[in-house]
Amino acid sequence: MPIIEDTRQKVGEHRVKNEYWESIGETVIRCRLPVGDYCSFYSVAVDTKRNIDELAANVGSDHVRFKRECLLARDNGCKLVILVENDIGITCLDDLKSWTNPRAWEAKKKGMRAPIDGERLSKACKTMTERYGVEFDFCAPGESGKRVIEILEGG
């Protein structure tokens, strides 16, 4: 379990604690904390995507990095929710099946391999949910601020 240490803790003045954590393989991440000197890793994280194109890029061409992030969350006991903003009415993974990748036409015109379509994207996201525990949520852009708070509060 990574330990988050407030950046206002003076480096070197807490050597005994830091040496102990290092000896048992604990990771210490320095970050400004709103309260306290140390805290445990979060239990819920929200990763926002500005649109379905960004989700498709993460699941498709950037899959290795995206998978690594999902595994890191899972292995640290963190529930990761991918919140995908969209203004086309997609509200769940099943709705995603009907999505048409705007890059498909350009790829076809250039004779390139077709980018991921809605059917494959939906299936890939469901597989990631099963394997890594990541959840996918969808909302309109104007609802995303409220939705992030709801997710972080467990709703």
Side-chain angles (χ1 to χ4, degrees):
M1 168 193 73
I3 297 169
I4 301 173
E5 178 182 54
D6 192 342
T7 53
R8 291 168 290 192
Q9 287 288 83
K10 292 186 174 111
V11 176
E13 286 193 20
H14 302 277
R15 188 177 43 81
V16 174
K17 286 188 288 253
N18 285 284
E19 286 175 357
Y20 172 74
W21 292 326
E22 184 178 334
S23 75
I24 63 170
E26 289 295 346
T27 302
V28 176
I29 300 167
R30 291 184 50 83
C31 180
R32 183 174 168 93
L33 296 174
V35 296
D37 295 326
Y38 302 97
C39 72
S40 62
F41 223 61
Y42 44 78
S43 61
V44 178
V46 179
D47 186 1
T48 57
K49 304 299 174 195
R50 70 182 172 278
N51 53 37
I52 296 171
D53 295 5
E54 184 179 1
L55 174 65
N58 285 169
V59 172
S61 60
D62 204 13
H63 182 76
V64 172
R65 184 203 57 78
F66 190 65
K67 175 184 171 183
R68 190 172 44 242
E69 185 176 334
C70 293
L71 285 169
L72 181 63
R74 183 198 68 191
D75 293 348
N76 284 287
C78 178
K79 173 182 163 184
L80 178 60
V81 179
I82 308 300
L83 180 61
V84 185
E85 300 174 13
N86 73 93
D87 56 7
I88 58 173
I90 303 292
T91 62
C92 64
L93 289 176
D94 285 334
D95 290 350
L96 197 54
K97 292 177 186 176
S98 65
W99 176 72
T100 301
N101 192 326
R103 291 179 175 73
W105 169 251
E106 188 176 320
K108 184 176 181 181
K109 190 170 74 172
K110 292 180 179 179
M112 298 166 50
R113 188 175 141 220
I116 192 167
D117 63 11
E119 185 79 31
R120 284 181 36 222
L121 182 57
S122 175
K123 184 177 179 183
C125 289
K126 287 178 181 181
T127 299
M128 295 185 90
T129 296
E130 292 169 10
R131 289 186 184 166
Y132 315 124
V134 62
E135 295 180 14
F136 295 86
D137 198 352
F138 299 82
C139 71
E143 299 169 348
S144 61
K146 179 181 177 190
R147 190 67 192 120
V148 166
I149 291 171
E150 291 171 350
I151 293 166
L152 291 175
E153 290 178 341

